Amino acid sequence: MSRYLILSLFLTVLTACSNIDGLEGLFSPNPELQKRTENTTSSPLEIPKAFPSIIPQYSNSELQEVSDTLTEKQGFIRWSSPDSVTTITEFYQEVFKNNDWEITQPFNEDDNRLIAQKNGLEVQVSFLTSNEDNTDYSLRYQPVNTSSSSTTPDPPSSPQNNGLFPLDDVPVALRPYVQDVMRLEDLNVKQTDDKAITSNTIINRRTYARWLVQTYNSFNENTPAKQLRLGVKTSQPAFADVGTNDPDFPVIQGLAEAGIIPSPLTGNSSASLFRPDNPLTREDLITWKVPLDTGKGLPKASLDNIKETWGFQDTTKIDIKAIQALYADFQNGEQSNVRRILGYTTLFQPKKGVTLAEAIASLWYFGYQGDGLSAKEVLTINN
């Protein structure tokens, strides 16, 4: 019996050895699966074929973003480069000049833009952020016949009173935006004290909510489907401190029901109070305004996203909803609310109060990545 047992064991070992290749095949990577995985790996962004070939490109740059609505006639593209603003600016100014482009606005540090035209096309090179290691910049192009009325406000006319405060009381950088919006809308402030109103008066939350709805609906006067609906008094109030008898209930309730402002309706149980007469902070403004620019909810974003884009030193002090709004706002290029209101800054100061002039300037443009309207363009349409 032992002889047969030994022979049986010997045959078993031989069989196992002959099947080693089969075992290796069983545990080795599936070539089809490997191929499929390689095919699904995200590839780097590429310049779309629709991008006009006459627009020069700075070679030492990495493509960061391409607008979904890009065509041969208009579009938005964002790059980053290790080179300085000066180096990139000199390149574009020289290339534009040597290739018969008309430079309608040479680069200046006030708005960090260079604008040129050729063959009915206007190109704006805008510098978004810059530090020792990286320069983030964008190219926006569109037909000349519409660009002048949509992306740049008119220079302010002679100082005048806009109904709230003298125009010459407004900071110079904000004055053109304020002038256009005040021509479009009859904005008013309901004072809770006897202090004189100036452009630097801090706006409260109820006033900005009212202005936001009023201006946004005015921009979309010819597109009722895009307008915000006002709350009705038969609705259960979204906030405990804004009842149906509050004069601004329809506006504040409407914003809450549309999911524009955080409330218990959006799952923010800690936002049961609206505090209508409290100062509007910078993070309030950006959180409320950006969804009306993008036309959708806020994207997921992290503190690192803000540090890599805006580079704010006080990122850790910013509320998570404002973090998401800031990340989306950065993707809006030179039409971002932060750039229009604050210009270049490395501090966001999220809890700082917003002035009346800053609030009005934020309402000058509604839209995202080239698909939008400015107060100046709405005035042209209305006239």
Side-chain angles (χ1 to χ4, degrees):
M1 291 293 293
S2 60
R3 186 181 302 170
Y4 287 111
L5 179 61
I6 292 171
L7 179 61
S8 176
L9 288 172
F10 179 70
L11 291 173
T12 301
V13 170
L14 283 176
T15 303
C17 290
S18 67
N19 287 333
I20 285 177
D21 290 340
L23 287 172
E24 287 180 349
L26 181 64
F27 290 102
S28 63
N30 185 326
E32 287 299 316
L33 180 61
Q34 209 168 6
K35 184 177 180 181
R36 204 177 306 135
T37 304
E38 290 171 357
N39 290 339
T40 57
T41 303
S42 58
S43 56
L45 285 174
E46 295 181 354
I47 301 292
K49 293 181 179 179
F51 184 75
S53 58
I54 66 169
I55 299 178
Q57 299 172 35
Y58 186 66
S59 59
N60 193 24
S61 297
E62 183 177 349
L63 190 59
Q64 300 295 314
E65 179 187 1
V66 178
S67 65
D68 296 333
T69 57
L70 184 145
T71 66
E72 292 181 356
K73 294 183 177 180
Q74 63 180 27
F76 171 89
I77 295 187
R78 181 168 62 87
W79 278 280
S80 67
S81 171
D83 296 333
S84 67
V85 170
T86 301
T87 301
I88 300 172
T89 300
E90 289 176 350
F91 165 80
Y92 274 104
Q93 292 192 142
E94 183 176 354
V95 171
F96 282 147
K97 183 178 179 181
N98 293 339
N99 288 275
D100 300 322
W101 285 76
E102 178 189 357
I103 298 179
T104 57
Q105 179 181 310
F107 174 76
N108 67 79
E109 295 182 355
D110 291 337
D111 61 4
N112 289 321
R113 286 193 304 173
L114 169 66
I115 303 177
Q117 298 178 359
K118 182 179 181 180
N119 296 345
L121 194 68
E122 178 183 86
V123 175
Q124 298 185 33
V125 184
S126 302
F127 294 92
L128 310 177
T129 58
S130 179
N131 53 47
E132 294 180 357
D133 303 317
N134 184 74
T135 296
D136 204 88
Y137 69 98
S138 69
L139 284 183
R140 185 188 300 278
Y141 61 94
Q142 56 196 353
V144 171
N145 59 351
T146 61
S147 61
S148 61
S149 65
S150 63
T151 62
T152 308
D154 280 326
S157 56
S158 56
Q160 55 183 311
N161 194 311
N162 56 28
L164 286 177
F165 38 73
L167 192 60
D168 58 357
D169 180 44
V170 179
V172 174
L174 301 179
R175 197 175 295 170
Y177 303 114
V178 171
Q179 177 175 259
D180 284 347
V181 175
M182 296 305 294
R183 284 175 176 170
L184 180 67
E185 292 297 324
D186 181 19
L187 304 178
N188 61 79
V189 178
K190 296 176 182 177
Q191 282 289 91
T192 57
D193 53 43
D194 297 328
K195 293 181 179 178
I197 297 175
T198 71
S199 67
N200 291 318
T201 297
I202 300 300
I203 190 173
N204 61 31
R205 289 162 61 90
R206 75 161 66 241
T207 299
Y208 188 71
R210 187 171 65 252
W211 288 3
L212 186 62
V213 173
Q214 178 182 344
T215 310
Y216 180 77
N217 283 352
S218 179
F219 272 53
N220 293 284
E221 185 176 1
N222 297 321
T223 316
K226 287 187 176 182
Q227 291 184 330
L228 290 165
R229 301 294 186 262
L230 300 181
V232 295
K233 291 195 173 185
T234 54
S235 299
Q236 176 66 33
F239 300 102
D241 56 349
V242 183
T244 55
N245 292 326
D246 189 293
D248 292 310
F249 172 80
V251 165
I252 296 170
Q253 183 74 13
L255 286 170
E257 291 183 352
I260 303 300
I261 56 178
S263 76
L265 297 178
T266 57
N268 296 73
S269 56
S270 60
S272 59
L273 297 177
F274 182 69
R275 298 180 175 86
D277 298 315
N278 277 16
L280 180 84
T281 64
R282 288 180 174 180
E283 64 183 8
D284 288 336
L285 183 149
I286 207 74
T287 302
W288 301 1
K289 172 66 166 48
V290 169
L292 294 177
D293 286 324
T294 63
K296 56 186 177 182
L298 298 175
K300 292 182 179 179
S302 65
L303 296 181
D304 287 340
N305 291 142
I306 302 304
K307 290 176 182 177
E308 292 167 3
T309 52
W310 289 112
F312 293 142
Q313 299 178 48
D314 52 357
T315 302
T316 56
K317 299 178 182 178
I318 305 173
D319 176 78
I320 183 60
K321 282 291 182 184
I323 288 286
Q324 295 173 289
L326 282 168
Y327 186 58
D329 192 52
F330 183 85
Q331 319 304 325
N332 211 9
E334 69 268 20
Q335 295 300 353
S336 83
N337 296 282
V338 170
R339 295 187 182 97
R340 183 164 58 256
I341 299 169
L342 306 180
Y344 175 75
T345 180
T346 62
L347 289 173
F348 182 58
Q349 300 181 77
K351 304 299 188 290
K352 185 174 181 178
V354 176
T355 68
L356 292 176
E358 291 170 340
I360 295 172
S362 75
L363 303 173
W364 186 81
Y365 184 86
F366 285 93
Y368 200 57
Q369 295 184 344
D371 183 15
L373 286 171
S374 70
K376 180 179 177 183
E377 189 169 25
V378 175
L379 285 167
T380 302
I381 294 171
N382 291 347
N383 290 333

